[in-house]
Amino acid sequence: PPPAGTAPRPGALSPFDRRLKRKQKNWAALQAEPAKCDYLREEVGGRIADRVFDIPRTFPLALDVGSGRGYIAQHLTKETVEKLIQVDVAENALKNAVETEIPTVRVVADEEFLPFKEDTFDLVVSSLRAVTLTLVTLTSCVLQIHHVLKADGVFIGAMFGGDTLYELRCSLQLAELEREGGFSPHVSPFTAVADLGHLLSRAGFNTLTVDTDEIQVNYPGLFEVMEDLQGKYILFGDGNDFCMGESNCSWNRKPLLHRDTMLAAAAIYREMYGNSDGSVPATFQIYYMIGWKYHESQAKPAQRGSATVSFGDLAKIEGLISRGKK
């Protein structure tokens, strides 16, 4: 495979500078007080762990793709996962990983090029790390995950949804249009929820589940939103490299924002979305996905036309129950 970070070949569809992505993640992993910026990762990591606990089995070997400092692992138990492999493109994140009771091996590798044999893992999890991938690179990542899963193995993942930070994005775009006559992307692109089921199915997964959730965080203002993002995950990043260690690494990102544009964006943000107490909200939309690798023992859907009750009959149930109570 091509080395991580190389520019896409002519005609290639990946909009990301992967070398910059690795640099951003390594930089974020070395910042002081990581817990100050990790609350969202830890919250989503806990929700993924809850989904693992919902499956009544023990997983002998699990893989955490884009593990970071171990935001999922810290919520898991050795009774559920006997051994865990953590993979991340940023070596600094793995060096500062949280220790857990689960025996763990840490591997530096790109999410798109997993260095494992086929049919290796019973469980693969991933939370908010392959989240800034577009549908093109996400497809590659999901194919890799399906490849390394054993038959009847399960993949449980989470990624940012298309409405993430819509308040920030809209404010910046309006301010740039007003002050500079146009705008460029300052937030990495996201995958639409409608694409996820199709993507997982095309990769070979079945018994699919995709659901969405929203987490809203309030900040004093736009500048605090951007400062918080710089220590955290995605999404914003120019020459100033705001945030979350997942700053925007698009090839066509703009090198900087002018000060007057930023001030205008802050005023627009507060005017359009501000709370009554003077704070401003930042919305993080999360997509959760679950997919199983096929095994002949898995339940199969009933034959078409084999139902014994129509939907019309189901509409009458409530009335029958009411009459029965009387």
Side-chain angles (χ1 to χ4, degrees), residues 48-284:
I48 288 180
D50 287 341
R51 287 164 167 78
V52 175
F53 294 142
D54 287 340
I55 301 173
R57 67 168 67 175
T58 297
F59 299 97
L61 183 61
L63 172 67
D64 186 352
V65 177
S67 63
R69 296 179 56 250
Y71 306 104
I72 302 175
Q74 62 184 294
H75 298 283
L76 297 173
T77 66
K78 60 184 179 182
E79 288 76 26
T80 302
V81 174
E82 295 179 347
K83 184 176 181 179
L84 177 67
I85 308 295
Q86 293 179 325
V87 169
D88 200 283
V89 70
E91 58 270 20
N92 290 337
L94 295 175
K95 289 177 183 177
N96 294 298
V98 178
E99 295 296 331
T100 70
E101 63 181 20
I102 303 172
T104 303
V105 176
R106 300 181 176 97
V107 179
V108 178
D110 193 307
E111 296 94 342
E112 286 190 70
F113 309 111
L114 297 176
F116 305 107
K117 295 180 180 180
E118 185 177 7
D119 302 327
T120 299
F121 298 97
D122 306 280
L123 166 71
V124 177
V125 294
S126 184
S127 174
L128 302 184
R129 297 299 280 185
V131 296
T132 55
L133 303 176
T134 60
L135 191 59
V136 176
T137 47
L138 179 61
T139 300
S140 175
C141 183
V142 171
L143 285 169
Q144 289 282 304
I145 289 171
H146 185 271
H147 180 77
V148 301
L149 267 175
K150 293 180 179 178
D152 203 33
V154 61
F155 165 54
I156 304 177
M159 61 185 296
F160 286 113
D163 287 339
T164 295
L165 295 182
Y166 70 87
E167 306 98 338
L168 175 62
R169 289 185 290 170
C170 183
S171 300
L172 289 170
Q173 289 175 5
L174 290 174
E176 277 194 285
L177 284 169
E178 177 192 351
R179 299 304 173 96
E180 303 179 31
F183 65 89
S184 63
H186 297 284
V187 176
S188 295
F190 302 101
T191 302
V193 67
D195 295 324
L196 287 183
H198 182 63
L199 184 153
L200 291 169
S201 179
R202 287 285 299 273
F205 289 100
N206 58 55
T207 317
L208 306 176
T209 302
V210 178
D211 62 285
T212 68
D213 196 4
E214 285 189 356
I215 299 174
Q216 190 174 89
V217 183
N218 292 324
Y219 295 88
L222 176 142
F223 293 101
E224 287 78 11
V225 174
M226 289 161 50
E227 180 183 3
D228 192 46
L229 293 177
Q230 186 173 9
K232 222 184 248 101
Y233 312 81
I234 11 187
L235 310 166
F236 197 94
D238 302 289
N240 303 319
D241 258 340
F242 298 105
C243 315
M244 296 188 183
E246 298 274 2
S247 301
N248 181 17
C249 60
S250 302
W251 289 100
N252 64 340
R253 63 189 178 277
K254 192 173 181 179
L256 57 86
L257 278 168
H258 296 105
R259 179 175 176 79
D260 63 335
T261 302
M262 295 296 297
L263 292 172
I268 292 170
Y269 202 141
R270 192 174 301 279
E271 178 66 24
M272 292 183 63
Y273 304 107
N275 299 315
S276 58
D277 62 358
S279 64
V280 297
T283 299
F284 298 90

Side-chain angles (χ1 to χ4, degrees), residues 7-60:
R9 299 183 302 278
L13 297 177
S14 175
F16 288 114
D17 180 344
R18 298 190 67 77
R19 182 180 289 112
L20 177 59
K21 174 59 62 179
R22 181 176 182 178
K23 181 179 178 181
Q24 289 169 346
K25 291 183 178 181
N26 272 317
W27 172 85
L30 293 178
Q31 299 309 297
E33 301 182 73
K36 181 180 178 181
C37 297
D38 283 348
Y39 57 87
L40 187 56
R41 284 181 183 151
E42 291 175 355
E43 174 65 24
V44 175
R47 296 185 186 191
I48 288 180
D50 287 341
R51 287 164 167 78
V52 175
F53 294 142
D54 287 340
I55 301 173
R57 67 168 67 175
T58 297
F59 299 97

